[in-house]
Amino acid sequence: MDIRYKMYPYPVLAYFLDDYKDKHAFDVKITQVKDGFNTKLVFEATLTNKELLGLVRSGKSLFVYHLECSQTGFRKVIRTDRFSLSYVLSNREVKGSVQICPFIVATEDITSYSSTDFDDDYKGMTFDIEEGCVLAVGQQVNADVSDSIDDLANTPSIFSIVQNTDEAIKEMKVDGNGDKIVIQLPFNDYYSYKSMSQNPKFEPVLNALTIVPALVFVIEEMKRWDSEEMNRREIDCGWFRSIKHVLSKEFNCDVESDLSGMDSMELAQKLIGSPLPSAFAELSGGEGTEGGSVV
């Protein structure tokens, strides 16, 4: 969605219109911050028009941000009364340019609206504004999002999921001493895993059940290693080289100096593209699925 230089049947605060004396009284600074494989958008709104400010503070209008990626068809509308907020944009749902259009929109019918900052052509006039109508338009921002996803789910597999032949063991076991991370599933559960893995829609569910806890286990192990052990593992363990590469490239994390201060559970999920939302969406029949999250 590109902001069009359109005319309105009532005064609108916009940088391309002369309806208000201070046409720059509404502005939004949008900053991109890398968040692992995702992109965090930080919104900082500035509004100096006192009448519009009063409408926002009274709940009669809201800041509205329209996000759209033409390459993937992704669309999202964020409505808020907060001047500052963050939105985590999933890089799996967008590619290339994401158009971000800021507005102020009426949340209810507003009668006899007027502003002391109206242009002289509207001096002394009042207007009835209907719910949903645009009151202000900010500068459009085009955010460039990398379409290169180098997470562990897109590299040659560093995991080997095998069957534990001891039928008495009912728990999953993890071994990180070899070239791959070996995940041993209980005897009967392994057959369930093999059956579900044939259907791609169950991939996030299986990743959440098996890969995430396995990664938590090995990350906790890595935190306990000294430099000598890490050097040995880099030679002997392909999985360690892969994780080290992804952490450095996507998370700006040095395994020797930064890893100890990171949350293992959170990091394990992010390393494979945070499968939990998609897993719950699949298990609940797709109810409430939506990319990204407001912070």
Side-chain angles (χ1 to χ4, degrees):
M1 175 183 180
D2 287 309
I3 290 180
R4 309 289 183 186
Y5 292 175
K6 62 177 293 186
M7 304 299 292
Y8 296 86
Y10 53 88
V12 170
L13 175 60
Y15 60 94
F16 53 85
L17 295 174
D18 295 320
D19 296 348
Y20 286 73
K21 293 176 183 177
D22 183 3
K23 63 174 66 178
H24 300 290
F26 172 53
D27 187 39
V28 180
K29 180 182 178 182
I30 303 174
T31 307
Q32 290 179 243
V33 180
K34 192 172 179 62
D35 184 27
F37 305 112
N38 299 324
T39 299
K40 179 183 289 186
L41 301 174
V42 181
F43 299 86
E44 295 285 346
T46 302
L47 178 61
T48 57
N49 179 273
K50 66 178 183 179
E51 288 83 12
L52 290 176
L53 193 59
L55 292 178
V56 172
R57 288 175 172 168
S58 65
K60 294 182 178 180
S61 67
L62 290 174
F63 299 114
V64 174
Y65 303 109
H66 187 281
L67 284 61
E68 183 172 322
C69 179
S70 59
Q71 291 191 53
T72 64
F74 170 82
R75 290 183 179 180
K76 171 71 178 179
V77 177
I78 303 171
R79 298 176 177 85
T80 181
D81 61 354
R82 293 155 55 185
F83 283 77
S84 302
L85 86 157
S86 299
Y87 178 78
V88 179
L89 186 65
S90 171
N91 285 22
R92 291 188 178 279
E93 297 198 343
V94 297
K95 180 185 294 185
S97 180
V98 178
Q99 299 166 339
I100 308 170
C101 303
F103 303 95
I104 297 176
V105 175
T107 59
E108 60 182 66
D109 292 343
I110 301 171
T111 58
S112 301
Y113 173 71
S114 183
S115 173
T116 55
D117 197 45
F118 277 166
D119 184 75
D120 290 341
D121 290 344
Y122 300 108
K123 188 175 182 180
M125 299 176 64
T126 62
F127 298 85
D128 292 337
I129 309 296
E130 295 182 356
E131 178 183 353
C133 285
V134 172
L135 293 167
V137 182
Q139 290 268 12
Q140 176 177 316
V141 173
N142 294 326
D144 291 321
V145 178
S146 171
D147 60 357
S148 174
I149 301 178
D150 190 21
D151 67 7
L152 296 180
N154 287 273
T155 57
S157 181
I158 63 171
F159 302 96
S160 177
I161 299 181
V162 301
Q163 184 182 51
N164 193 324
T165 56
D166 187 345
E167 296 187 43
I169 295 178
K170 305 300 181 184
E171 296 78 28
M172 183 179 82
K173 293 186 177 295
V174 179
D175 182 4
N177 290 314
D179 190 56
K180 293 187 175 185
I181 298 171
V182 178
I183 301 173
Q184 287 188 317
L185 295 180
F187 189 85
N188 291 326
D189 293 340
Y190 178 77
Y191 292 113
S192 299
Y193 171 86
K194 291 294 287 185
S195 176
M196 293 176 67
S197 66
Q198 302 304 309
N199 191 332
K201 72 178 184 178
F202 289 125
E203 181 181 349
V205 178
L206 295 176
N207 283 345
L209 288 172
T210 59
I211 304 301
V212 168
L215 281 172
V216 172
F217 175 83
V218 298
I219 291 170
E220 286 297 312
E221 288 288 300
M222 290 164 58
K223 288 181 177 181
R224 290 190 282 268
W225 295 344
D226 56 21
S227 296
E228 183 178 346
E229 179 65 15
M230 286 196 177
N231 290 335
R232 186 184 73 80
R233 294 285 185 148
E234 189 152 12
I235 297 172
D236 297 340
C237 301
W239 68 262
F240 176 68
R241 294 193 296 272
S242 294
I243 290 179
K244 181 179 178 181
H245 168 74
V246 172
L247 286 175
S248 175
K249 178 183 176 183
E250 304 291 349
F251 294 83
N252 194 29
C253 170
D254 180 270
V255 293
E256 292 193 42
S257 59
D258 302 324
L259 188 61
S260 61
M262 303 185 76
D263 185 297
S264 299
M265 176 60 76
E266 180 180 340
L267 184 58
Q269 295 174 76
K270 287 185 175 182
L271 278 169
I272 57 168
S274 300
L276 207 57
S278 296
F280 275 118
E282 181 57 43
L283 292 173
S284 62
E287 301 254 340
T289 60
E290 194 169 288
S293 57
V294 177
V295 180

